[in-house]
Amino acid sequence: MNVSNKKRLFGLVAAVVVGMMAASCTDKASDNTSGSASAPAQAVAEEKVLNIYNWSDYIAPDTIANFEKETGIKVQYDVFDSNEILHAKLIAKNTGYDIVVPGSNWAKLQIDGGLFQKLDKTKLPNWKNLDEGILKKMAELDPGNTYLVDWMWSYNTVGINVDKVKAALGDTPMPDNAWDLVFNPTYTSKLKPCGITFLDTPADVFQAALHYLGKPIYTGTPDDYQAAFDLLMKVRPDIKKFNSGGQIDDLASGNTCVAYGWAGDFNLARKRSIENKAEQNIEALIPKTGGLLFMDTMAITADAKHPDNAHKFIDYVMRPEVAAANTNEVTYLTPNKAATAFIDDEIKNNKSIFLSDEDIAKLVPPGVEDAKTKRNMTRLYTKFKSGV
Ligand code: SPD
């Protein structure tokens, strides 16, 4: 993606920031402004430990090992599969994690809730590698780029096993709108035998259903959520399972043929299938109405016990070679401009990873719901999953 594409992408992101301000976190920390620079304890060397909580399948296999070898810092690296899980841990406090990686929209809520500490830029010399345009746009979300560093980004969409889907559809041609494959019973009823999976997260599922219905994806209107629920219930009998982190292996092994999930994971499933000689022809589709954009961001928790080590890790990840190795492994895009030179041509040439200008323009910006809407959405999602 060239710089102007990135600027457009982040212009899109910036457009939602104002809308996100309305949602709230209740327990505001008494002081989240100290950052790691001002606490006297920081003068004392930290124990050589770092606790990180990131999304599953989101890092190259040697990223942590190389960091440990170089610094002597022992990393405990745990994974999660939904923003809801991370958010619940953060608001309960005492997560035990130094670095967490929420979606940017959720991160904004968490900043406002006092759950993160400021970055100390003097400890981040590799900051210079980040794309200026992106930083500027991120500053609209996080003024002064004070708390967040983008980890990687992609979009929610439909992923398919091309051969299995064509076989299951038979005489029925592929729909013009890829979202039909997961939201239109005409298609889902035919695809049911080869296996349809959905993400297991209320926000992602309702946002896509609302988008399919032509509604704003973070509308607060209860009637819209009811309409999305009614739509979802029509396809519920055709859904095999709800599984976020497991979609990669299910697609790569041919266990499922259609998924509603994250484009990066679909490209990773394709890569894994090739590596495992499973020969499944997997594609991340680009819906004509657009995919749902997301960015996942690194932040240091307000109660982090190892903020200095956290800065060391963030700076390490901002090295071009390290950022590119992560992208080359997991097929999500890095915001690290200097990393572009190290990204494999196969990834650069994949149009569902490096999107065209036209596809970028169609991406739907992320949003976040107010607390009441979240409760309603979770209630409806539970009913939808149980199928009654
Ligand atoms: N395997 C990495 C998945 C990262 C997904 N982040 C998703 C945010 C969705 N809104």
Side-chain angles (χ1 to χ4, degrees):
M1 175 181 298
N2 60 35
V3 175
S4 78
N5 281 354
K6 283 183 178 171
K7 284 183 176 165
R8 291 173 55 202
L9 164 66
F10 282 84
L12 203 58
V13 174
V16 302
V17 171
V18 172
M20 295 193 309
M21 302 298 184
S24 65
C25 285
T26 45
D27 23 354
K28 188 109 179 153
S30 54
D31 178 14
N32 70 315
T33 58
S34 60
S36 62
S38 59
Q42 302 309 308
V44 179
E46 283 174 5
E47 58 175 341
K48 293 229 159 206
V49 169
L50 178 65
N51 299 305
I52 303 177
Y53 199 38
N54 197 353
W55 297 83
S56 58
D57 292 293
Y58 221 14
I59 192 163
D62 56 359
T63 299
I64 296 295
N66 290 343
F67 176 75
E68 289 182 324
K69 203 165 148 195
E70 186 177 304
T71 60
I73 295 168
K74 175 79 192 130
V75 177
Q76 177 65 40
Y77 187 87
D78 296 335
V79 298
F80 59 90
D81 280 332
S82 80
N83 274 305
E84 284 88 344
I85 290 172
L86 171 59
H87 190 68
K89 274 197 199 287
L90 284 168
I91 59 175
K93 304 274 177 74
N94 300 315
T95 60
Y97 293 110
D98 301 298
I99 296 178
V100 294
V101 188
S104 60
N105 48 346
W106 291 75
K108 177 62 194 162
L109 291 180
Q110 292 150 2
I111 291 170
D112 291 348
L115 303 177
F116 298 144
Q117 60 179 268
K118 289 180 177 179
L119 298 168
D120 180 348
K121 303 273 182 57
T122 65
K123 296 178 178 170
L124 301 173
N126 284 318
W127 188 270
K128 65 178 185 300
N129 295 324
L130 300 179
D131 185 283
E132 277 298 322
I134 291 172
L135 286 172
K136 205 166 156 198
K137 292 303 178 187
M138 281 293 285
E140 294 173 38
L141 170 74
D142 170 25
N145 302 111
T146 308
Y147 294 92
L148 305 177
V149 185
D150 191 33
W151 172 266
M152 284 198 255
W153 67 273
S154 182
Y155 54 96
N156 292 27
T157 186
V158 178
I160 60 166
N161 181 317
V162 179
D163 304 328
K164 283 181 189 288
V165 163
K166 282 191 177 150
L169 290 181
D171 293 339
T172 307
M174 285 286 280
D176 196 31
N177 179 4
W179 291 116
D180 278 329
L181 294 170
V182 292
F183 291 129
N184 182 339
T186 301
Y187 295 92
T188 58
S189 58
K190 292 188 168 67
L191 296 168
K192 179 179 180 176
C194 64
I196 302 175
T197 56
F198 267 47
L199 291 174
D200 190 8
T201 149
D204 287 53
V205 168
F206 270 88
Q207 287 171 1
L210 288 164
H211 172 67
Y212 182 71
L213 291 172
K215 302 194 182 289
I217 67 168
Y218 50 104
T219 168
T221 310
D223 284 353
D224 289 346
Y225 287 90
Q226 187 58 46
F229 172 77
D230 293 343
L231 169 80
L232 289 165
M233 286 305 279
K234 290 195 182 113
V235 298
R236 177 64 189 88
D238 302 332
I239 299 171
K240 181 173 178 172
K241 61 175 161 175
F242 294 85
N243 187 344
S244 299
Q247 290 193 344
I248 299 168
D249 287 341
D250 274 338
L251 280 168
S253 63
N255 193 30
T256 55
C257 66
V258 180
Y260 162 55
W262 303 309
D265 279 10
F266 300 146
N267 278 300
L268 182 52
R270 177 186 184 84
K271 189 168 168 263
R272 290 240 174 108
S273 178
I274 293 165
E275 283 163 4
N276 298 339
K277 308 208 180 321
E279 312 301 342
Q280 306 297 325
N281 183 8
I282 298 152
E283 252 182 45
L285 302 179
I286 306 171
K288 70 168 194 182
T289 59
L292 314 185
L293 170 69
F294 67 82
M295 291 178 301
D296 294 321
T297 56
M298 288 183 277
I300 302 177
T301 57
D303 55 3
K305 292 198 171 47
H306 313 100
D308 201 38
N309 297 343
H311 281 88
K312 285 192 174 106
F313 182 80
I314 291 172
D315 197 54
Y316 164 77
V317 167
M318 291 192 297
R319 289 183 197 168
E321 296 88 343
V322 176
N326 288 336
T327 284
N328 287 335
E329 173 66 24
V330 303
T331 72
Y332 283 79
L333 278 175
T334 172
N336 191 313
K337 188 178 179 186
T340 312
F342 301 95
I343 292 177
D344 295 341
D345 284 345
E346 198 179 338
I347 292 194
K348 282 187 200 154
N349 294 332
N350 183 326
K351 295 282 178 231
S352 68
I353 303 176
F354 276 71
L355 298 174
S356 68
D357 286 2
E358 196 189 339
D359 290 331
I360 286 177
K362 285 190 298 198
L363 286 174
V364 180
V368 80
E369 303 78 6
D370 61 33
K372 192 173 165 199
T373 302
K374 273 188 192 299
R375 280 195 298 278
N376 184 35
M377 199 167 54
T378 301
R379 180 183 64 83
L380 290 171
Y381 180 73
T382 307
K383 269 177 83 178
F384 161 57
K385 250 183 96 173
S386 73
V388 292

